[in-house]
Each structure stands twice: as structure tokens, then as C-alpha cells.
Amino acid sequence: MPPVAALHRHHPAVSPIAVTFRPAPIDGIAMLDRIGTVVTIGREEPLFYEGDGAECYYKVVKGVMRGCTLLADGRRHIGDFFLAGDFIGLDADKTYPFTVEGVTDATLIRYSRRKVDALAAQEPQITKCLVGLMRNGLSSARQRMALLGHMTAMERIASFLLDLADRGDNARVALPMTRTDIGDYLGLTMETVSRAFCQLKSEHVIQQQGVHEVAITDRSALEELTKAA
Amino acid sequence: MPPVAALHRHHPAVSPIAVTFRPAPIDGIAMLDRIGTVVTIGREEPLFYEGDGAECYYKVVKGVMRGCTLLADGRRHIGDFFLAGDFIGLDADKTYPFTVEGVTDATLIRYSRRKVDALAAQEPQITKCLVGLMRNGLSSARQRMALLGHMTAMERIASFLLDLADRGDNARVALPMTRTDIGDYLGLTMETVSRAFCQLKSEHVIQQQGVHEVAITDRSALEELTKAA
DNA sequence: CGCCCATTTGAAAATAATCAATGGAAGTGG
DNA sequence: CCACTTCCATTGATTATTTTCAAATGGGCG
């Protein structure tokens, strides 16, 4: 149930307070898009590195990105997968706290933070909107902590699949990332991830169309597995 | 290294933009305090429950609070310990996403959200301040995910102790919460927590003055143990 | 002073990690 | 277009860590 990616979900349209007359109420994100520019990133290509000056926000339009940090002992932690609609960088202070790379080829919109701040100063809707996105990020972070702290391998995988299912073609789930990526995201090894998938397959809960796509054939069974959270 | 509690740290004084003349620049939090009221909570007493309408923010003045959720299988997850200076409820949308209870007797300041919003509409500093606090929350949530996903029991305990040490009397650490609380916070069982403490004690890394206070005698050893993150 | 609850300690069981080898798919270069 | 190479995924066996179950200890509070 914990949403896969943090800073997304255009939350239920902000109530349009008509301070000045305007042809139609404009959503905060729509306003942002006016100052955005398009960026494309290739598979395994970095968008920015941990420690880089955080000068921009990004929104994923197409493809999947991952945010990861290298731990002191060489292990890699994936903090988030960013799917279409997700925002990247809202939580950065002066510098980005993690590296972001393309899991697939991807298209993003880049928003200069300077410009966003300027716009936000005029349009309180923008700020409201960004704060809402951050709230969502905190909410999903909280759920993921419960997952990482208290769930078994199978429960984590089940949650992960349901999250992805809820964000796309319910039932047909794309898994563009590697098993290692999934492991680094869920706090498991690649082998454990693989075994969990195989078990779900053998129990006819999912079907696999190649390694990077699964069909959920028994959603309720998956939901049962996440009952721990 | 992951900060124990999320929404705190009066961040480096916001640059005072003198829009109108004012005797002295007033920090966002100081402005907030004017509309706050004091609340006291006893040990094991709830401040609010998960699902309650989120009508207030709180700041801890004295004592320790915990934010917890009950998982579907009966297990309990502690999302955060809130220490003096920490804010509670900033991440709530319509309702509080977790129950908050006193670990010790505690004193808090309650801020009506309605009033805060009204004040924030006039004073952009307030919003900046709140956004900064949320950013800190996201930052610590991220670090805690890495901890829960990738660290061993001993590494988690070491991180936890260092976090607490960094927030108080460096070296003399108060542990008002039970071993079970710590376990529910770190994703471990009470027994594992106890064993880790005992091992640290036997290795002369810490000393115990009763169950609820430890003295760090070898900080660098603790830091070494967290090298995984 | 005695009871109760949290903590500590011990032993057994379960879960996931690690080590190791095989299988397969995608991409490269001839 | 095919063969080769490389990387990723799967599978198996073993090991390590943590949980679970159980019992004993000890401190704090009435």
C-alpha cells in the first residue's frame, strides 16, 4: 500500500479562491508547467548527482527514474522510483540528497527553482500545491518505513506490486527495473526478490510475461499478503 | 546519523527581508508561538489518535512523545520519537496519520492550524519556515529508510544512540522509552534491542546508569558501527 | 516488603543473506 | 544474420542473523 514514489499525485484540485477575476481557475501545476522545459534522459544515464546544487525541480512525464545513494560500505540504497507524474527534488535543501538516474529512457520537465520561487511569491496556489506534494512525500515515506521495518520479504514484494498496479494498468504491471534495483529499494537481496516472484508465480498469484512485466491474476491474494501493514 | 525526530530544527535563521519597518526581525517560529497555547500530557497518555481531524500542529517543549500506528497483524510501528523542539502534525492532511502519546510527562505548544494558515497568508516567513521543517522531515525519513532497509540490528542501535546523543547532553543519553518502543521504532524485537545494548556494554562502548540512561564511553566505536550508512 | 512489569538471558526455529553455479535474454560485432 | 559476449535472473546449498518461545532476574511502585 505505500505509494511507490513520493512526491506526486496532483491532489484534488485546490479550491479556486477568486482573488482577481480570471477566465478559468488555473491549477498550480498547470501554472508551473508554463515555466518548465523538457529534458530527456537515457537508460542508466544520470539526471543529477547527490551533492549537486539543487537548482531545479523535475516532473517525470514518461519513463521511470530512480533516486539512489551509495552507502559507506558500498551497498546501494534506492530511495524512490519516480514514475510519470512524480516530482523530483522538492525535498532538496541546498544540494540534492541523492543521485537520480534513468531506469528507462525518460522525458521530464525541468523547473528552475528560482523561477518557481518567484512565481510562488505571486501565486499562493503554487506554494499550496508544492506543500501538498511534500505532504504526500512524507506520507509515503512513513508507509515505507513501516514496510521496511516490519514486513517480511514476501509482504514487501506484494506491497510493491500493488503500488505499481495502482499507478498503471491495474493488473498488468511493468517492471522496467532490475531485480537488484527492486532489492535495493525494498531492503532485500536480488536473490530474495527473485525467489519471491517465483513463489508468487508458482502459487498462480501472478503471471510473468518476460522478466519485466507481470500480470496480477489474484489481487486479493496479494492484498492478503500485505495484511501486515 | 538519521535524526531521530523528523520535523524539527529551527533552521538557520531565515534572512529577514525588511518589508515593513520592525524593531527587530522576528523568526517564523517566534511569530507562531504568539498564537500557541500550552498543553500538558502525562506518560502513556494520548495527545491525539490516528484518524482524528488534524486541527492543530504541536511543538514539544519538554518531555518525549511517540507517534505510532497499529499494523493489521497487531504489531505496532513507531514512526517517530518527538523530542523538545520537534514539531508534530505538519505532515497531516485532513486527519492525523498516526497516534501520538507521551513517552514521559510532556509539555507542548498547540497551534491552531486555522490560525497558522491565516498568519501564513500574511507572513510568508511562516510558510518558508514550515516548508523548511517539512524538508527536514523528508530528509530524516529518507535516512531512516536507508537504516531500516540496509542496516543490521547493531548498526541501527548505534545510529539511534548517536542521534539521541547529538540532540542532548552529548555522551549522556536519556532513554525514557522502553526496549519495546525502541524495537518498534527500529524494526527490531525487544530482545534484539536488549542484546545489542548488552553487547555494547560488554565491549565498553557504553555504560548504563539504570535502564533508561546510557553514557557513551567510546563514541568513535559507535560511529564505526554506523559506517554502513 | 512484596508484587508487577520491563528487562535480561538462553535455546530453538525461521527468515533472509551469502556463496556458487546455471540458464537465458539482450546487445555487439563480425 | 548469426555467433559471441555480457549481464541479469534463476536456482540450489549453506551460513548468519534475527525472531520466537520460554524462563529467570531485577527494579520501581504501591
Side-chain angles (χ1 to χ4, degrees):
Chain A
M1 18 209 55
V4 163
L7 309 164
H8 54 94
R9 250 161 244 177
H10 312 195
H11 60 175
V14 181
S15 62
I17 302 163
V19 177
T20 56
F21 180 79
R22 196 174 287 135
I26 299 176
D27 178 71
I29 290 181
M31 289 200 283
L32 275 185
D33 282 349
R34 295 177 177 185
I35 60 168
T37 59
V38 173
V39 185
T40 61
I41 286 287
R43 188 171 157 276
E44 298 299 311
E45 199 183 309
L47 177 62
F48 55 74
Y49 288 103
E50 179 176 354
D52 284 358
E55 276 155 28
C56 300
Y57 301 128
Y58 295 88
K59 185 175 72 175
V60 179
V61 174
K62 199 160 69 73
V64 179
M65 308 291 290
R66 68 170 169 251
C68 52
T69 52
L70 217 47
L71 305 180
D73 61 351
R75 287 178 295 188
R76 185 186 64 156
H77 170 73
I78 292 188
D80 244 318
F81 289 116
F82 300 101
L83 276 57
D86 291 347
F87 275 78
I88 303 176
L90 288 183
D91 54 338
D93 189 21
K94 293 292 175 211
T95 61
Y96 295 114
F98 46 72
T99 297
V100 172
E101 306 161 333
V103 171
T104 64
D105 291 345
T107 308
L108 302 95
I109 301 183
R110 179 204 307 262
Y111 311 91
S112 154
R113 247 173 104 153
R114 196 174 41 73
K115 284 189 196 167
V116 170
D117 289 349
L119 198 59
Q122 297 168 0
E123 295 282 355
Q125 259 188 64
I126 301 268
T127 304
K128 253 189 186 162
C129 180
L130 294 179
V131 168
L133 290 170
M134 287 182 71
R135 246 197 265 284
N136 289 338
L138 274 165
S139 161
S140 74
R142 195 179 17 257
Q143 290 183 282
R144 214 143 90 65
M145 282 192 265
L147 175 146
L148 291 169
H150 293 275
M151 285 176 135
T152 65
M154 187 55 87
E155 290 165 350
R156 294 177 203 201
I157 297 287
S159 290
F160 179 68
L161 285 175
L162 287 174
D163 277 349
L164 287 179
D166 290 344
R167 299 209 51 201
D169 264 329
N170 243 349
R172 199 156 227 75
V173 179
L175 296 170
M177 64 292 287
T178 67
R179 298 286 185 263
T180 303
D181 283 343
I182 298 174
D184 289 347
Y185 179 70
L186 296 177
L188 302 168
T189 60
M190 155 186 92
E191 292 92 333
T192 301
V193 172
S194 179
R195 279 185 247 270
F197 275 114
C198 288
Q199 191 182 332
L200 288 177
K201 203 167 46 176
S202 77
E203 289 168 359
H204 304 289
V205 176
I206 62 171
Q207 274 182 303
Q208 270 188 263
Q209 275 86 21
V211 179
H212 293 297
E213 188 179 328
V214 304
I216 295 177
T217 51
D218 186 352
R219 192 176 213 280
S220 61
L222 274 187
E223 281 163 355
E224 198 56 38
L225 285 170
T226 63
K227 270 290 153 55
Chain B
M1 18 206 54
V4 163
L7 309 165
H8 54 93
R9 251 161 242 176
H10 311 196
H11 59 176
V14 181
S15 62
I17 301 163
V19 178
T20 55
F21 180 78
R22 196 173 286 136
I26 299 174
D27 178 71
I29 289 180
M31 291 201 282
L32 275 186
D33 282 350
R34 296 177 176 183
I35 60 167
T37 60
V38 173
V39 185
T40 61
I41 286 286
R43 189 172 157 279
E44 297 300 310
E45 198 182 308
L47 176 63
F48 54 74
Y49 287 102
E50 179 176 353
D52 285 358
E55 276 154 29
C56 301
Y57 301 128
Y58 295 88
K59 185 176 71 175
V60 179
V61 174
K62 198 161 70 73
V64 179
M65 308 291 290
R66 67 170 168 250
C68 51
T69 52
L70 218 46
L71 306 179
D73 61 350
R75 287 177 297 187
R76 185 185 62 157
H77 171 73
I78 293 188
D80 244 319
F81 289 116
F82 300 102
L83 276 57
D86 291 346
F87 275 79
I88 303 176
L90 288 184
D91 54 338
D93 190 21
K94 293 292 175 211
T95 61
Y96 294 114
F98 47 72
T99 297
V100 171
E101 306 160 335
V103 172
T104 64
D105 292 344
T107 307
L108 302 96
I109 301 183
R110 179 203 307 262
Y111 311 90
S112 153
R113 247 173 105 151
R114 196 173 43 72
K115 284 189 195 166
V116 171
D117 289 348
L119 198 58
Q122 297 168 0
E123 295 281 357
Q125 258 187 65
I126 300 269
T127 304
K128 253 190 186 161
C129 181
L130 295 179
V131 169
L133 290 169
M134 286 182 73
R135 246 197 264 284
N136 288 338
L138 274 165
S139 161
S140 73
R142 194 178 20 256
Q143 289 184 282
R144 215 143 88 66
M145 282 192 267
L147 175 145
L148 291 170
H150 293 275
M151 284 176 135
T152 66
M154 186 55 90
E155 289 165 351
R156 295 177 201 201
I157 296 287
S159 290
F160 179 68
L161 286 174
L162 287 174
D163 278 348
L164 287 179
D166 289 345
R167 300 210 50 200
D169 264 330
N170 244 349
R172 198 156 230 75
V173 179
L175 296 170
M177 63 292 287
T178 66
R179 298 286 185 263
T180 303
D181 282 343
I182 298 173
D184 289 346
Y185 178 69
L186 296 178
L188 302 168
T189 60
M190 158 186 87
E191 292 92 335
T192 302
V193 173
S194 177
R195 279 184 246 270
F197 275 113
C198 288
Q199 190 182 333
L200 289 176
K201 203 166 47 178
S202 78
E203 288 168 358
H204 304 291
V205 176
I206 62 171
Q207 274 181 304
Q208 269 188 262
Q209 275 87 21
V211 180
H212 293 297
E213 188 178 328
V214 304
I216 295 177
T217 50
D218 186 352
R219 192 176 212 279
S220 61
L222 274 188
E223 280 163 355
E224 198 57 38
L225 285 170
T226 64
K227 270 290 153 57

PDB file of all heavy atoms in Angstrom, chain B residues 161-191:
ATOM      1  N   LEU B 161      21.514   5.644  19.072  1.00  0.00           N
ATOM      2  CA  LEU B 161      22.206   6.260  20.200  1.00  0.00           C
ATOM      3  C   LEU B 161      22.901   7.548  19.773  1.00  0.00           C
ATOM      4  O   LEU B 161      22.847   8.559  20.482  1.00  0.00           O
ATOM      5  CB  LEU B 161      23.221   5.282  20.796  1.00  0.00           C
ATOM      6  CG  LEU B 161      22.612   4.153  21.618  1.00  0.00           C
ATOM      7  CD1 LEU B 161      23.686   3.162  22.046  1.00  0.00           C
ATOM      8  CD2 LEU B 161      21.892   4.713  22.837  1.00  0.00           C
ATOM      9  N   LEU B 162      23.537   7.518  18.627  1.00  0.00           N
ATOM     10  CA  LEU B 162      24.232   8.717  18.160  1.00  0.00           C
ATOM     11  C   LEU B 162      23.246   9.841  17.879  1.00  0.00           C
ATOM     12  O   LEU B 162      23.506  11.004  18.182  1.00  0.00           O
ATOM     13  CB  LEU B 162      25.052   8.394  16.913  1.00  0.00           C
ATOM     14  CG  LEU B 162      26.312   7.568  17.183  1.00  0.00           C
ATOM     15  CD1 LEU B 162      26.979   7.171  15.872  1.00  0.00           C
ATOM     16  CD2 LEU B 162      27.286   8.345  18.061  1.00  0.00           C
ATOM     17  N   ASP B 163      22.111   9.496  17.297  1.00  0.00           N
ATOM     18  CA  ASP B 163      21.079  10.508  17.059  1.00  0.00           C
ATOM     19  C   ASP B 163      20.676  11.182  18.347  1.00  0.00           C
ATOM     20  O   ASP B 163      20.608  12.411  18.436  1.00  0.00           O
ATOM     21  CB  ASP B 163      19.826   9.848  16.465  1.00  0.00           C
ATOM     22  CG  ASP B 163      19.948   9.649  14.975  1.00  0.00           C
ATOM     23  OD1 ASP B 163      20.883  10.208  14.377  1.00  0.00           O
ATOM     24  OD2 ASP B 163      19.105   8.940  14.416  1.00  0.00           O
ATOM     25  N   LEU B 164      20.394  10.360  19.341  1.00  0.00           N
ATOM     26  CA  LEU B 164      19.959  10.917  20.618  1.00  0.00           C
ATOM     27  C   LEU B 164      21.073  11.736  21.251  1.00  0.00           C
ATOM     28  O   LEU B 164      20.833  12.804  21.814  1.00  0.00           O
ATOM     29  CB  LEU B 164      19.522   9.791  21.560  1.00  0.00           C
ATOM     30  CG  LEU B 164      18.187   9.131  21.221  1.00  0.00           C
ATOM     31  CD1 LEU B 164      17.885   8.020  22.207  1.00  0.00           C
ATOM     32  CD2 LEU B 164      17.057  10.160  21.225  1.00  0.00           C
ATOM     33  N   ALA B 165      22.291  11.217  21.140  1.00  0.00           N
ATOM     34  CA  ALA B 165      23.428  11.938  21.723  1.00  0.00           C
ATOM     35  C   ALA B 165      23.567  13.309  21.081  1.00  0.00           C
ATOM     36  O   ALA B 165      23.825  14.305  21.761  1.00  0.00           O
ATOM     37  CB  ALA B 165      24.708  11.132  21.535  1.00  0.00           C
ATOM     38  N   ASP B 166      23.364  13.368  19.770  1.00  0.00           N
ATOM     39  CA  ASP B 166      23.535  14.633  19.058  1.00  0.00           C
ATOM     40  C   ASP B 166      22.451  15.648  19.391  1.00  0.00           C
ATOM     41  O   ASP B 166      22.547  16.807  19.023  1.00  0.00           O
ATOM     42  CB  ASP B 166      23.533  14.387  17.542  1.00  0.00           C
ATOM     43  CG  ASP B 166      24.799  13.673  17.108  1.00  0.00           C
ATOM     44  OD1 ASP B 166      25.751  13.652  17.906  1.00  0.00           O
ATOM     45  OD2 ASP B 166      24.820  13.131  15.996  1.00  0.00           O
ATOM     46  N   ARG B 167      21.413  15.172  20.049  1.00  0.00           N
ATOM     47  CA  ARG B 167      20.340  16.104  20.360  1.00  0.00           C
ATOM     48  C   ARG B 167      20.314  16.519  21.817  1.00  0.00           C
ATOM     49  O   ARG B 167      19.451  17.263  22.238  1.00  0.00           O
ATOM     50  CB  ARG B 167      18.995  15.483  19.993  1.00  0.00           C
ATOM     51  CG  ARG B 167      18.906  15.153  18.507  1.00  0.00           C
ATOM     52  CD  ARG B 167      17.500  15.251  18.056  1.00  0.00           C
ATOM     53  NE  ARG B 167      16.897  16.495  18.466  1.00  0.00           N
ATOM     54  CZ  ARG B 167      15.597  16.700  18.543  1.00  0.00           C
ATOM     55  NH1 ARG B 167      14.774  15.722  18.244  1.00  0.00           N
ATOM     56  NH2 ARG B 167      15.112  17.861  18.912  1.00  0.00           N
ATOM     57  N   GLY B 168      21.212  15.989  22.604  1.00  0.00           N
ATOM     58  CA  GLY B 168      21.178  16.361  24.015  1.00  0.00           C
ATOM     59  C   GLY B 168      22.568  16.508  24.580  1.00  0.00           C
ATOM     60  O   GLY B 168      23.491  16.930  23.891  1.00  0.00           O
ATOM     61  N   ASP B 169      22.713  16.164  25.825  1.00  0.00           N
ATOM     62  CA  ASP B 169      23.996  16.141  26.510  1.00  0.00           C
ATOM     63  C   ASP B 169      24.916  15.155  25.823  1.00  0.00           C
ATOM     64  O   ASP B 169      25.072  14.029  26.291  1.00  0.00           O
ATOM     65  CB  ASP B 169      23.792  15.638  27.950  1.00  0.00           C
ATOM     66  CG  ASP B 169      23.654  16.792  28.910  1.00  0.00           C
ATOM     67  OD1 ASP B 169      24.244  17.844  28.641  1.00  0.00           O
ATOM     68  OD2 ASP B 169      22.936  16.621  29.910  1.00  0.00           O
ATOM     69  N   ASN B 170      25.539  15.559  24.748  1.00  0.00           N
ATOM     70  CA  ASN B 170      26.499  14.670  24.104  1.00  0.00           C
ATOM     71  C   ASN B 170      27.130  13.736  25.128  1.00  0.00           C
ATOM     72  O   ASN B 170      27.752  14.188  26.060  1.00  0.00           O
ATOM     73  CB  ASN B 170      27.624  15.510  23.471  1.00  0.00           C
ATOM     74  CG  ASN B 170      27.620  15.352  21.970  1.00  0.00           C
ATOM     75  OD1 ASN B 170      26.922  14.469  21.455  1.00  0.00           O
ATOM     76  ND2 ASN B 170      28.368  16.183  21.283  1.00  0.00           N
ATOM     77  N   ALA B 171      26.949  12.464  24.977  1.00  0.00           N
ATOM     78  CA  ALA B 171      27.604  11.481  25.855  1.00  0.00           C
ATOM     79  C   ALA B 171      26.648  10.887  26.892  1.00  0.00           C
ATOM     80  O   ALA B 171      26.651   9.691  27.109  1.00  0.00           O
ATOM     81  CB  ALA B 171      28.828  12.032  26.561  1.00  0.00           C
ATOM     82  N   ARG B 172      25.839  11.732  27.516  1.00  0.00           N
ATOM     83  CA  ARG B 172      24.887  11.212  28.496  1.00  0.00           C
ATOM     84  C   ARG B 172      23.512  11.173  27.829  1.00  0.00           C
ATOM     85  O   ARG B 172      22.913  12.217  27.581  1.00  0.00           O
ATOM     86  CB  ARG B 172      24.864  12.108  29.734  1.00  0.00           C
ATOM     87  CG  ARG B 172      24.264  11.433  30.944  1.00  0.00           C
ATOM     88  CD  ARG B 172      24.772  12.056  32.239  1.00  0.00           C
ATOM     89  NE  ARG B 172      25.269  11.082  33.190  1.00  0.00           N
ATOM     90  CZ  ARG B 172      26.428  10.447  33.088  1.00  0.00           C
ATOM     91  NH1 ARG B 172      27.189  10.649  32.045  1.00  0.00           N
ATOM     92  NH2 ARG B 172      26.801   9.597  34.018  1.00  0.00           N
ATOM     93  N   VAL B 173      23.059   9.974  27.488  1.00  0.00           N
ATOM     94  CA  VAL B 173      21.843   9.851  26.691  1.00  0.00           C
ATOM     95  C   VAL B 173      20.677   9.306  27.513  1.00  0.00           C
ATOM     96  O   VAL B 173      20.806   8.247  28.133  1.00  0.00           O
ATOM     97  CB  VAL B 173      22.079   8.916  25.485  1.00  0.00           C
ATOM     98  CG1 VAL B 173      20.816   8.759  24.681  1.00  0.00           C
ATOM     99  CG2 VAL B 173      23.207   9.457  24.623  1.00  0.00           C
ATOM    100  N   ALA B 174      19.589  10.040  27.520  1.00  0.00           N
ATOM    101  CA  ALA B 174      18.379   9.576  28.207  1.00  0.00           C
ATOM    102  C   ALA B 174      17.566   8.691  27.279  1.00  0.00           C
ATOM    103  O   ALA B 174      17.387   8.997  26.105  1.00  0.00           O
ATOM    104  CB  ALA B 174      17.548  10.779  28.639  1.00  0.00           C
ATOM    105  N   LEU B 175      17.130   7.579  27.789  1.00  0.00           N
ATOM    106  CA  LEU B 175      16.308   6.641  27.022  1.00  0.00           C
ATOM    107  C   LEU B 175      14.988   6.408  27.760  1.00  0.00           C
ATOM    108  O   LEU B 175      14.767   5.319  28.300  1.00  0.00           O
ATOM    109  CB  LEU B 175      17.034   5.300  26.866  1.00  0.00           C
ATOM    110  CG  LEU B 175      18.326   5.276  26.079  1.00  0.00           C
ATOM    111  CD1 LEU B 175      19.010   3.932  26.235  1.00  0.00           C
ATOM    112  CD2 LEU B 175      18.030   5.541  24.604  1.00  0.00           C
ATOM    113  N   PRO B 176      14.119   7.389  27.751  1.00  0.00           N
ATOM    114  CA  PRO B 176      12.894   7.246  28.542  1.00  0.00           C
ATOM    115  C   PRO B 176      11.959   6.161  28.012  1.00  0.00           C
ATOM    116  O   PRO B 176      11.113   5.676  28.746  1.00  0.00           O
ATOM    117  CB  PRO B 176      12.246   8.631  28.437  1.00  0.00           C
ATOM    118  CG  PRO B 176      12.805   9.225  27.197  1.00  0.00           C
ATOM    119  CD  PRO B 176      14.194   8.685  27.076  1.00  0.00           C
ATOM    120  N   MET B 177      12.143   5.790  26.770  1.00  0.00           N
ATOM    121  CA  MET B 177      11.241   4.792  26.179  1.00  0.00           C
ATOM    122  C   MET B 177      11.657   3.375  26.541  1.00  0.00           C
ATOM    123  O   MET B 177      12.794   3.130  26.943  1.00  0.00           O
ATOM    124  CB  MET B 177      11.176   4.965  24.659  1.00  0.00           C
ATOM    125  CG  MET B 177      12.477   4.744  23.911  1.00  0.00           C
ATOM    126  SD  MET B 177      13.790   5.970  24.203  1.00  0.00           S
ATOM    127  CE  MET B 177      13.164   7.390  23.297  1.00  0.00           C
ATOM    128  N   THR B 178      10.734   2.448  26.422  1.00  0.00           N
ATOM    129  CA  THR B 178      11.033   1.051  26.749  1.00  0.00           C
ATOM    130  C   THR B 178      11.823   0.399  25.612  1.00  0.00           C
ATOM    131  O   THR B 178      11.906   0.934  24.509  1.00  0.00           O
ATOM    132  CB  THR B 178       9.738   0.240  26.938  1.00  0.00           C
ATOM    133  OG1 THR B 178       9.074   0.170  25.676  1.00  0.00           O
ATOM    134  CG2 THR B 178       8.825   0.872  27.968  1.00  0.00           C
ATOM    135  N   ARG B 179      12.356  -0.770  25.889  1.00  0.00           N
ATOM    136  CA  ARG B 179      13.070  -1.516  24.849  1.00  0.00           C
ATOM    137  C   ARG B 179      12.114  -1.882  23.714  1.00  0.00           C
ATOM    138  O   ARG B 179      12.506  -1.927  22.543  1.00  0.00           O
ATOM    139  CB  ARG B 179      13.675  -2.785  25.448  1.00  0.00           C
ATOM    140  CG  ARG B 179      14.714  -2.524  26.536  1.00  0.00           C
ATOM    141  CD  ARG B 179      16.004  -2.028  25.959  1.00  0.00           C
ATOM    142  NE  ARG B 179      17.045  -1.876  26.969  1.00  0.00           N
ATOM    143  CZ  ARG B 179      17.354  -0.737  27.563  1.00  0.00           C
ATOM    144  NH1 ARG B 179      16.714   0.377  27.250  1.00  0.00           N
ATOM    145  NH2 ARG B 179      18.318  -0.691  28.470  1.00  0.00           N
ATOM    146  N   THR B 180      10.892  -2.159  24.083  1.00  0.00           N
ATOM    147  CA  THR B 180       9.883  -2.472  23.070  1.00  0.00           C
ATOM    148  C   THR B 180       9.640  -1.266  22.165  1.00  0.00           C
ATOM    149  O   THR B 180       9.545  -1.401  20.940  1.00  0.00           O
ATOM    150  CB  THR B 180       8.567  -2.885  23.750  1.00  0.00           C
ATOM    151  OG1 THR B 180       8.820  -4.000  24.600  1.00  0.00           O
ATOM    152  CG2 THR B 180       7.519  -3.286  22.708  1.00  0.00           C
ATOM    153  N   ASP B 181       9.563  -0.073  22.770  1.00  0.00           N
ATOM    154  CA  ASP B 181       9.414   1.142  21.971  1.00  0.00           C
ATOM    155  C   ASP B 181      10.558   1.265  20.974  1.00  0.00           C
ATOM    156  O   ASP B 181      10.353   1.531  19.784  1.00  0.00           O
ATOM    157  CB  ASP B 181       9.434   2.385  22.882  1.00  0.00           C
ATOM    158  CG  ASP B 181       8.110   2.599  23.607  1.00  0.00           C
ATOM    159  OD1 ASP B 181       7.099   2.014  23.195  1.00  0.00           O
ATOM    160  OD2 ASP B 181       8.117   3.351  24.596  1.00  0.00           O
ATOM    161  N   ILE B 182      11.761   1.078  21.459  1.00  0.00           N
ATOM    162  CA  ILE B 182      12.934   1.214  20.596  1.00  0.00           C
ATOM    163  C   ILE B 182      12.870   0.184  19.471  1.00  0.00           C
ATOM    164  O   ILE B 182      13.140   0.485  18.312  1.00  0.00           O
ATOM    165  CB  ILE B 182      14.238   1.047  21.402  1.00  0.00           C
ATOM    166  CG1 ILE B 182      14.333   2.155  22.463  1.00  0.00           C
ATOM    167  CG2 ILE B 182      15.457   1.091  20.481  1.00  0.00           C
ATOM    168  CD1 ILE B 182      15.501   1.984  23.420  1.00  0.00           C
ATOM    169  N   GLY B 183      12.475  -1.027  19.841  1.00  0.00           N
ATOM    170  CA  GLY B 183      12.330  -2.069  18.833  1.00  0.00           C
ATOM    171  C   GLY B 183      11.302  -1.698  17.768  1.00  0.00           C
ATOM    172  O   GLY B 183      11.568  -1.826  16.569  1.00  0.00           O
ATOM    173  N   ASP B 184      10.162  -1.203  18.197  1.00  0.00           N
ATOM    174  CA  ASP B 184       9.115  -0.844  17.252  1.00  0.00           C
ATOM    175  C   ASP B 184       9.538   0.328  16.375  1.00  0.00           C
ATOM    176  O   ASP B 184       9.022   0.530  15.282  1.00  0.00           O
ATOM    177  CB  ASP B 184       7.826  -0.497  17.992  1.00  0.00           C
ATOM    178  CG  ASP B 184       7.182  -1.731  18.613  1.00  0.00           C
ATOM    179  OD1 ASP B 184       7.590  -2.855  18.245  1.00  0.00           O
ATOM    180  OD2 ASP B 184       6.288  -1.583  19.460  1.00  0.00           O
ATOM    181  N   TYR B 185      10.477   1.097  16.892  1.00  0.00           N
ATOM    182  CA  TYR B 185      10.983   2.237  16.126  1.00  0.00           C
ATOM    183  C   TYR B 185      12.025   1.794  15.114  1.00  0.00           C
ATOM    184  O   TYR B 185      12.068   2.282  13.981  1.00  0.00           O
ATOM    185  CB  TYR B 185      11.591   3.256  17.091  1.00  0.00           C
ATOM    186  CG  TYR B 185      12.196   4.476  16.444  1.00  0.00           C
ATOM    187  CD1 TYR B 185      11.403   5.427  15.817  1.00  0.00           C
ATOM    188  CD2 TYR B 185      13.566   4.685  16.472  1.00  0.00           C
ATOM    189  CE1 TYR B 185      11.953   6.549  15.239  1.00  0.00           C
ATOM    190  CE2 TYR B 185      14.129   5.811  15.899  1.00  0.00           C
ATOM    191  CZ  TYR B 185      13.317   6.733  15.287  1.00  0.00           C
ATOM    192  OH  TYR B 185      13.875   7.850  14.704  1.00  0.00           O
ATOM    193  N   LEU B 186      12.847   0.847  15.501  1.00  0.00           N
ATOM    194  CA  LEU B 186      13.965   0.430  14.650  1.00  0.00           C
ATOM    195  C   LEU B 186      13.676  -0.830  13.844  1.00  0.00           C
ATOM    196  O   LEU B 186      14.530  -1.310  13.094  1.00  0.00           O
ATOM    197  CB  LEU B 186      15.214   0.191  15.507  1.00  0.00           C
ATOM    198  CG  LEU B 186      15.781   1.398  16.234  1.00  0.00           C
ATOM    199  CD1 LEU B 186      16.972   0.991  17.081  1.00  0.00           C
ATOM    200  CD2 LEU B 186      16.193   2.476  15.233  1.00  0.00           C
ATOM    201  N   GLY B 187      12.473  -1.373  13.987  1.00  0.00           N
ATOM    202  CA  GLY B 187      12.156  -2.594  13.256  1.00  0.00           C
ATOM    203  C   GLY B 187      12.856  -3.811  13.833  1.00  0.00           C
ATOM    204  O   GLY B 187      13.306  -4.693  13.105  1.00  0.00           O
ATOM    205  N   LEU B 188      12.971  -3.861  15.147  1.00  0.00           N
ATOM    206  CA  LEU B 188      13.613  -4.993  15.817  1.00  0.00           C
ATOM    207  C   LEU B 188      12.707  -5.457  16.956  1.00  0.00           C
ATOM    208  O   LEU B 188      11.779  -4.761  17.338  1.00  0.00           O
ATOM    209  CB  LEU B 188      14.963  -4.573  16.392  1.00  0.00           C
ATOM    210  CG  LEU B 188      15.998  -4.007  15.428  1.00  0.00           C
ATOM    211  CD1 LEU B 188      17.149  -3.369  16.181  1.00  0.00           C
ATOM    212  CD2 LEU B 188      16.504  -5.111  14.503  1.00  0.00           C
ATOM    213  N   THR B 189      13.006  -6.622  17.496  1.00  0.00           N
ATOM    214  CA  THR B 189      12.266  -7.046  18.675  1.00  0.00           C
ATOM    215  C   THR B 189      12.958  -6.496  19.912  1.00  0.00           C
ATOM    216  O   THR B 189      14.147  -6.176  19.894  1.00  0.00           O
ATOM    217  CB  THR B 189      12.229  -8.576  18.796  1.00  0.00           C
ATOM    218  OG1 THR B 189      13.565  -9.063  18.895  1.00  0.00           O
ATOM    219  CG2 THR B 189      11.547  -9.204  17.593  1.00  0.00           C
ATOM    220  N   MET B 190      12.183  -6.436  20.959  1.00  0.00           N
ATOM    221  CA  MET B 190      12.699  -6.017  22.246  1.00  0.00           C
ATOM    222  C   MET B 190      13.934  -6.823  22.647  1.00  0.00           C
ATOM    223  O   MET B 190      14.917  -6.282  23.158  1.00  0.00           O
ATOM    224  CB  MET B 190      11.576  -6.232  23.244  1.00  0.00           C
ATOM    225  CG  MET B 190      11.967  -6.360  24.655  1.00  0.00           C
ATOM    226  SD  MET B 190      10.486  -6.768  25.589  1.00  0.00           S
ATOM    227  CE  MET B 190      10.472  -8.537  25.442  1.00  0.00           C
ATOM    228  N   GLU B 191      13.901  -8.117  22.406  1.00  0.00           N
ATOM    229  CA  GLU B 191      15.026  -8.973  22.788  1.00  0.00           C
ATOM    230  C   GLU B 191      16.294  -8.603  22.031  1.00  0.00           C
ATOM    231  O   GLU B 191      17.378  -8.532  22.618  1.00  0.00           O
ATOM    232  CB  GLU B 191      14.697 -10.449  22.517  1.00  0.00           C
ATOM    233  CG  GLU B 191      13.624 -11.046  23.398  1.00  0.00           C
ATOM    234  CD  GLU B 191      12.242 -10.913  22.781  1.00  0.00           C
ATOM    235  OE1 GLU B 191      12.055  -9.988  21.970  1.00  0.00           O
ATOM    236  OE2 GLU B 191      11.367 -11.722  23.104  1.00  0.00           O
TER     237      GLU B 191
END
